[in-house]
Amino acid sequence: MPELPEVETIRRQLGAAIGGSVWRRVTARPCSLFRTPAAALAAGLTGARVTGVDRRGKVLLIGFDGDRVLLAHLGMSGQILLVPPAEPDPGHHHLVADLADGRTLVFRDPRRFGYLRLAARGGLEGLTELAGLGPDPLGADRTWEAFLRSFAERDGAVKSALLDQRRFPGIGNVYADEILHVARIRPGRSVSGLTQIERKELYHAIRDVLHGAIELGGTSFDGVLLDIFGRPGLHGGRLRVYGRQGEACDRCHHALKSAAVGGRMSVYCPHCQK
DNA sequence: ATCACGACCTGGAGGC
DNA sequence: TGCCTCCAGGTCGTGA
């Protein structure tokens, strides 16, 4: 599930690998992933030159000359891959861009939970995909005071708060559980019931967990989440709780439990998370 | 207005 | 061994 660390990894790689490249030919097969009709997508991207790659939460923004921006959300199974020219489609190659330098960039998403939209740079702020997103959890403006404010906005389970893209854009189910384990807070605890010390733990855990995962290139699950060169992220082996229900907690060695919080599967340690 | 929940989609895991 | 059902995930639309 591409969350902030995975999307950031892809953003950095894309910026270095395809910055300045020209998309000589673009093939887009009509597909529910496309929020811009396939024909318009192909027409709008053909001949375009990449000016930069940005990120808002889990959304990638690939900028082109002519003030065009391609919004790409990877959903839970989306990938953007640089593949050898004339590589046969193993399936789900929804958009294929042949670059002028001979390389080929592929967007694929087997489960089709992601999306692509081509937009004008000037109209970005009006897009529903971006309008509700809060400031980046790793942004310089995410101070302790700003963190407290975003937590005071509304009550509810702390896990649900972390998943709220209006408050913490980019955090998903995997890293929410990881963050709460580091902060020693149970996912079902209400925000209003957190002590000041716990809030401080959470504030630091968000930054530590996300930064740590980015350094390792994100998390791969069953080989599904790959970077643009097809390599898995190295964070998968470092997961503290996600997907480990029944296993021993690394910190206190009690068995990890799973429970639904806000309708989402959550894994936590019932002993050292309070 | 806000919150809860189901739909979307498909590969993989688990059960029979 | 093989088939079938169920589940996970993020977002959005609907209903409460």
Coordinates of all heavy atoms in Angstrom, one line a residue, chain B residues 3-15:
Chain B
dC3 P -16.4 14.5 12.7 OP1 -15.8 14.7 14.0 OP2 -15.7 14.7 11.5 O5' -17.1 13.1 12.7 C5' -18.2 12.8 13.6 C4' -18.9 11.5 13.1 O4' -19.7 11.9 11.9 C3' -18.0 10.3 12.8 O3' -18.4 9.2 13.6 C2' -18.2 10.1 11.3 C1' -19.6 10.8 11.1 N1 -19.8 11.3 9.7 C2 -20.9 10.8 9.0 O2 -21.7 10.0 9.5 N3 -21.1 11.3 7.7 C4 -20.3 12.1 7.2 N4 -20.5 12.6 5.9 C5 -19.2 12.6 7.9 C6 -19.0 12.2 9.2
dA4 P -17.6 7.9 13.6 OP1 -17.5 7.4 14.9 OP2 -16.3 8.2 12.8 O5' -18.5 6.9 12.7 C5' -19.9 6.8 13.1 C4' -20.5 5.8 12.1 O4' -20.8 6.5 10.9 C3' -19.7 4.6 11.8 O3' -20.6 3.4 11.8 C2' -19.2 4.9 10.4 C1' -20.3 5.8 9.8 N9 -19.8 6.8 8.8 C8 -18.7 7.6 8.9 N7 -18.5 8.4 7.9 C5 -19.5 8.0 7.1 C6 -19.9 8.5 5.8 N6 -19.2 9.5 5.1 N1 -21.0 8.0 5.2 C2 -21.6 7.0 5.8 N3 -21.4 6.5 7.0 C4 -20.3 7.0 7.6
dC5 P -20.0 2.0 11.6 OP1 -20.7 1.1 12.5 OP2 -18.5 2.1 11.7 O5' -20.4 1.6 10.1 C5' -21.7 1.9 9.7 C4' -21.8 1.8 8.2 O4' -21.2 3.0 7.5 C3' -21.0 0.6 7.6 O3' -21.8 -0.1 6.7 C2' -19.8 1.2 6.9 C1' -20.4 2.6 6.4 N1 -19.5 3.6 6.1 C2 -19.6 4.4 4.9 O2 -20.6 4.1 4.2 N3 -18.8 5.3 4.6 C4 -17.7 5.6 5.4 N4 -16.9 6.6 5.1 C5 -17.5 4.9 6.6 C6 -18.4 3.9 6.9
dG6 P -21.4 -1.6 6.3 OP1 -22.4 -2.5 7.0 OP2 -20.0 -1.8 6.6 O5' -21.7 -1.7 4.7 C5' -22.9 -1.1 4.2 C4' -22.6 -0.6 2.8 O4' -21.7 0.5 2.8 C3' -22.0 -1.7 1.9 O3' -22.6 -1.7 0.6 C2' -20.5 -1.3 1.8 C1' -20.6 0.3 1.9 N9 -19.5 0.9 2.4 C8 -18.8 0.6 3.6 N7 -17.8 1.4 3.8 C5 -17.8 2.3 2.8 C6 -16.9 3.4 2.5 O6 -16.0 3.8 3.1 N1 -17.3 4.0 1.3 C2 -18.4 3.7 0.5 N2 -18.6 4.4 -0.6 N3 -19.2 2.6 0.7 C4 -18.8 2.0 1.9
dA7 P -22.3 -2.9 -0.4 OP1 -23.5 -3.3 -1.0 OP2 -21.3 -3.8 0.2 O5' -21.5 -2.0 -1.5 C5' -22.1 -0.9 -2.1 C4' -21.2 -0.3 -3.1 O4' -20.1 0.5 -2.4 C3' -20.5 -1.3 -4.1 O3' -20.5 -0.8 -5.4 C2' -19.1 -1.3 -3.5 C1' -18.9 0.0 -2.9 N9 -18.0 0.1 -1.7 C8 -18.0 -0.8 -0.7 N7 -17.0 -0.6 0.2 C5 -16.4 0.6 -0.3 C6 -15.4 1.4 0.2 N6 -14.7 1.1 1.4 N1 -15.0 2.4 -0.5 C2 -15.6 2.7 -1.7 N3 -16.6 2.0 -2.2 C4 -17.0 1.0 -1.5
dC8 P -20.3 -1.8 -6.6 OP1 -21.1 -1.3 -7.7 OP2 -20.4 -3.2 -6.1 O5' -18.8 -1.5 -7.0 C5' -18.4 -0.2 -7.5 C4' -16.9 0.0 -7.3 O4' -16.6 0.0 -5.9 C3' -16.0 -1.2 -7.9 O3' -15.5 -0.7 -9.2 C2' -14.9 -1.3 -6.9 C1' -15.2 -0.3 -5.8 N1 -14.9 -0.7 -4.4 C2 -14.1 0.2 -3.7 O2 -13.7 1.2 -4.2 N3 -13.8 -0.2 -2.4 C4 -14.3 -1.3 -1.9 N4 -14.0 -1.6 -0.6 C5 -15.1 -2.2 -2.7 C6 -15.4 -1.8 -3.9
dC9 P -15.5 -1.8 -10.3 OP1 -15.2 -1.1 -11.6 OP2 -16.6 -2.8 -10.2 O5' -14.1 -2.6 -9.9 C5' -12.9 -2.0 -10.0 C4' -11.8 -2.9 -9.4 O4' -12.0 -3.0 -8.0 C3' -11.9 -4.3 -9.9 O3' -10.9 -4.5 -10.8 C2' -11.8 -5.2 -8.7 C1' -11.5 -4.2 -7.6 N1 -12.0 -4.5 -6.2 C2 -11.2 -4.6 -5.1 O2 -10.0 -4.5 -5.3 N3 -11.7 -4.8 -3.9 C4 -13.0 -4.9 -3.7 N4 -13.5 -5.0 -2.5 C5 -13.9 -4.8 -4.9 C6 -13.4 -4.6 -6.1
dT10 P -10.8 -5.8 -11.7 OP1 -10.1 -5.4 -13.0 OP2 -12.1 -6.5 -11.8 O5' -9.8 -6.7 -10.9 C5' -8.5 -6.2 -10.6 C4' -7.8 -7.1 -9.6 O4' -8.5 -6.9 -8.3 C3' -7.8 -8.6 -9.9 O3' -6.5 -9.0 -9.6 C2' -8.8 -9.1 -8.9 C1' -8.5 -8.2 -7.7 N1 -9.6 -8.2 -6.7 C2 -9.3 -8.0 -5.4 O2 -8.1 -7.9 -5.0 N3 -10.3 -8.0 -4.5 C4 -11.7 -8.1 -4.8 O4 -12.5 -8.0 -3.9 C5 -12.0 -8.3 -6.2 C7 -13.4 -8.4 -6.6 C6 -10.9 -8.3 -7.1
dG11 P -5.9 -10.2 -10.5 OP1 -5.2 -9.7 -11.7 OP2 -6.9 -11.3 -10.5 O5' -4.7 -10.7 -9.5 C5' -3.9 -9.6 -8.9 C4' -3.4 -10.0 -7.6 O4' -4.4 -9.9 -6.6 C3' -2.9 -11.5 -7.5 O3' -1.7 -11.4 -6.6 C2' -4.0 -12.2 -6.9 C1' -4.7 -11.2 -6.0 N9 -6.1 -11.3 -5.9 C8 -7.0 -11.6 -6.9 N7 -8.3 -11.6 -6.5 C5 -8.2 -11.3 -5.2 C6 -9.3 -11.2 -4.2 O6 -10.5 -11.3 -4.4 N1 -8.8 -10.8 -2.9 C2 -7.4 -10.7 -2.7 N2 -7.1 -10.3 -1.4 N3 -6.4 -10.8 -3.5 C4 -6.9 -11.1 -4.8
dG12 P -0.8 -12.7 -6.5 OP1 0.6 -12.3 -6.4 OP2 -1.3 -13.7 -7.4 O5' -1.2 -13.2 -5.0 C5' -1.1 -12.3 -3.9 C4' -1.8 -12.9 -2.7 O4' -3.2 -12.8 -2.9 C3' -1.4 -14.3 -2.4 O3' -1.1 -14.4 -1.0 C2' -2.7 -15.1 -2.7 C1' -3.8 -14.1 -2.4 N9 -5.0 -14.3 -3.2 C8 -5.2 -14.6 -4.5 N7 -6.4 -14.7 -4.9 C5 -7.1 -14.4 -3.7 C6 -8.5 -14.4 -3.5 O6 -9.4 -14.6 -4.3 N1 -8.8 -14.1 -2.2 C2 -7.9 -13.8 -1.2 N2 -8.4 -13.5 0.0 N3 -6.6 -13.9 -1.4 C4 -6.3 -14.2 -2.7
dA13 P -0.4 -15.7 -0.4 OP1 0.9 -15.3 0.1 OP2 -0.5 -16.8 -1.4 O5' -1.3 -16.0 0.8 C5' -1.9 -14.9 1.6 C4' -3.1 -15.4 2.4 O4' -4.2 -15.4 1.5 C3' -2.9 -16.8 3.0 O3' -3.4 -16.8 4.3 C2' -3.8 -17.7 2.1 C1' -4.9 -16.7 1.6 N9 -5.4 -17.0 0.3 C8 -4.8 -17.3 -0.8 N7 -5.5 -17.6 -1.9 C5 -6.8 -17.4 -1.3 C6 -8.1 -17.5 -1.9 N6 -8.3 -17.8 -3.2 N1 -9.2 -17.3 -1.1 C2 -9.0 -17.0 0.1 N3 -7.8 -16.8 0.8 C4 -6.8 -17.1 0.0
dG14 P -3.0 -17.9 5.3 OP1 -2.6 -17.3 6.6 OP2 -2.2 -18.9 4.6 O5' -4.4 -18.6 5.6 C5' -5.6 -17.8 6.0 C4' -6.8 -18.6 5.6 O4' -7.0 -18.6 4.2 C3' -6.9 -20.0 6.1 O3' -7.9 -20.2 7.1 C2' -7.1 -20.9 4.9 C1' -7.6 -19.8 3.9 N9 -7.2 -20.1 2.5 C8 -6.0 -20.3 2.0 N7 -5.9 -20.6 0.7 C5 -7.3 -20.5 0.3 C6 -7.9 -20.7 -0.9 O6 -7.3 -21.0 -2.0 N1 -9.3 -20.6 -0.9 C2 -10.0 -20.4 0.3 N2 -11.3 -20.3 0.2 N3 -9.4 -20.2 1.5 C4 -8.1 -20.3 1.4
dG15 P -8.2 -21.6 7.8 OP1 -8.6 -21.3 9.2 OP2 -7.0 -22.5 7.5 O5' -9.4 -22.1 7.0 C5' -10.6 -21.3 6.9 C4' -11.7 -22.0 6.0 O4' -11.2 -22.0 4.6 C3' -11.9 -23.5 6.4 O3' -13.3 -23.8 6.4 C2' -11.1 -24.3 5.3 C1' -11.2 -23.4 4.1 N9 -10.1 -23.5 3.2 C8 -8.8 -23.5 3.5 N7 -8.0 -23.6 2.5 C5 -8.9 -23.7 1.4 C6 -8.6 -23.9 0.0 O6 -7.5 -24.0 -0.5 N1 -9.8 -24.0 -0.7 C2 -11.1 -23.9 -0.2 N2 -12.1 -24.0 -1.0 N3 -11.3 -23.8 1.1 C4 -10.2 -23.7 1.8

